Amino acid sequence: VTRTLLLVGIGAGDPDQITVEAITALNRADVAFLVEKGTDADELVDARRTLCEKHVKAPGLRFVVVPDAARDRSAGNYTGAVDDWRRRRAANLASALRSELPEEGCGALLIWGDPSLYDSMIAVVDEIRASESLDLAVEVIPGISSVQVLAARHGITLNRIGRPVMITTGRLLAQGLPDNCDDVIVMLDAHCSYKDLPAEVRSQLDIYWGAYLGTADEILVAGALDEVGEEIIARRKDARERKGWVMDTYLLRRR
Ligand SMILES: C[S@@+](CC[C@H](N)C(=O)[O-])C[C@H]1O[C@@H](n2cnc3c(N)ncnc32)[C@H](O)[C@@H]1O
């Protein structure tokens, strides 16, 4: 028996930023699996249901919430801890697929933004196929990433003519701006890590920052990092206190 699993990119927050292919995929599904992190704001969970209500016309879509495995954030070995976490997530999801998805059925996993960018679901599903002896036909459907929304909102291209761009994390930026790239996109940064770059590096940078992209709470700030860096820190902190969570992405550009 083969179950079908669709990994569907659903955009970064705006229910209008979903492709026709993704809508068709959601309409094929018997079951929508929502993998919830304990830390997910209810708002983010609700947003996925609202999106399905808006776009799924086929009757009878069932929602199954899969509680995500807890991650040990205190572990010293980051890669090891993430590997272990991935294995436990794979076991969790595999058991939900076995019990909730009929044989020959079609399930959809809703993934924020695009499944290819800083999302572990493709790796988790690979792990399930390798280790859980579950026969799955997998299809990946691309979505609009927060990175694309950031660029569109600021009206910029990510690369300059003939130049590369790098996509990295706050954790890595904290170790320094790469030497070989002048356009760096930063995701997963809970600490505004640019503030810790050396002053002479900061003084050469522009920043294009966006929070809650694609939602009614969207905030955009752009300018010379030395001029707007403090404002971004303050606005991020305010918004986080008001809403209880924040998701932000930014581009650092060497002048
Ligand atoms: C686990 S990654 C998932 C990225 C997602 N796959 C994508 O394509 O955008 C989460 C990070 O994406 C960024 N992000 C996702 N949605 C966002 C949004 N609506 N506004 C700003 N940043 C967002 C943030 O940097 C956040 O830390």
Side-chain angles (χ1 to χ4, degrees):
V1 294
T2 303
R3 294 169 169 91
T4 302
L5 188 60
L6 310 170
L7 307 188
V8 185
I10 57 165
D14 184 339
D16 283 349
Q17 286 171 357
I18 181 167
T19 68
V20 176
E21 186 184 22
I23 293 173
T24 307
L26 293 177
N27 277 284
R28 272 168 68 197
D30 310 303
V31 184
F33 291 90
L34 306 178
V35 178
E36 274 187 25
K37 303 194 178 75
T39 53
D40 270 2
D42 292 345
E43 229 178 312
L44 290 174
V45 178
D46 291 348
R48 288 184 286 189
R49 287 186 194 261
T50 309
L51 184 119
C52 287
E53 277 155 23
K54 177 162 181 182
H55 294 298
V56 176
K57 303 293 176 227
L61 178 67
R62 215 155 47 80
F63 288 93
V64 171
V65 175
V66 184
D68 206 356
R71 176 158 147 204
D72 180 4
R73 288 184 184 274
S74 65
N77 175 353
Y78 179 76
T79 322
V82 170
D83 280 351
D84 169 64
W85 184 46
R86 183 174 295 161
R87 270 190 293 279
R88 286 183 290 120
R89 300 176 83 191
N92 256 9
L93 181 60
S95 87
L97 291 173
R98 274 202 187 85
S99 60
E100 302 288 349
L101 189 60
E103 295 179 354
E104 313 292 339
C106 178
L109 257 172
L110 276 58
I111 297 178
W112 279 116
D114 183 72
S116 73
L117 255 188
Y118 290 110
D119 187 280
S120 50
M121 270 310 154
I122 290 180
V124 167
V125 169
D126 284 346
E127 172 95 27
I128 291 179
R129 292 158 102 187
S131 64
E132 296 281 338
S133 64
L134 189 67
D135 199 7
L136 283 178
V138 175
E139 289 173 44
V140 179
I141 289 110
I144 306 281
S145 168
S146 54
V147 176
Q148 291 160 285
V149 185
L150 177 77
R153 290 296 193 257
H154 285 291
I156 56 169
T157 56
L158 297 175
N159 64 288
R160 282 173 285 175
I161 298 171
R163 309 273 302 154
V165 301
M166 175 182 277
I167 303 179
T168 189
T169 65
R171 181 183 283 268
L172 288 173
L173 183 72
Q175 296 167 20
L177 197 71
D179 298 330
N180 56 349
C181 192
D182 296 328
D183 295 274
V184 177
I185 295 148
V186 184
M187 304 177 83
L188 295 164
D189 184 3
H191 305 288
C192 301
S193 302
Y194 56 79
K195 70 180 187 314
D196 301 322
L197 294 171
E200 69 274 17
V201 173
R202 276 200 321 260
S203 68
Q204 303 164 15
L205 296 174
D206 289 330
I207 186 168
Y208 297 86
W209 178 79
Y212 313 105
L213 290 160
T215 75
D217 299 300
E218 186 171 275
I219 315 172
L220 301 171
V221 177
L225 185 55
D226 278 345
E227 282 160 28
V228 299
E230 289 301 321
E231 176 192 342
I232 292 171
I233 293 170
R235 292 187 70 176
R236 189 181 189 282
K237 181 166 173 281
D238 273 3
R240 198 201 154 94
E241 278 165 13
R242 188 162 30 87
K243 286 180 65 72
W245 60 280
V246 61
M247 279 213 283
D248 61 335
T249 306
Y250 55 92
L251 169 71
L252 295 176
R253 169 158 286 172
R254 257 196 203 101
R255 280 191 292 278

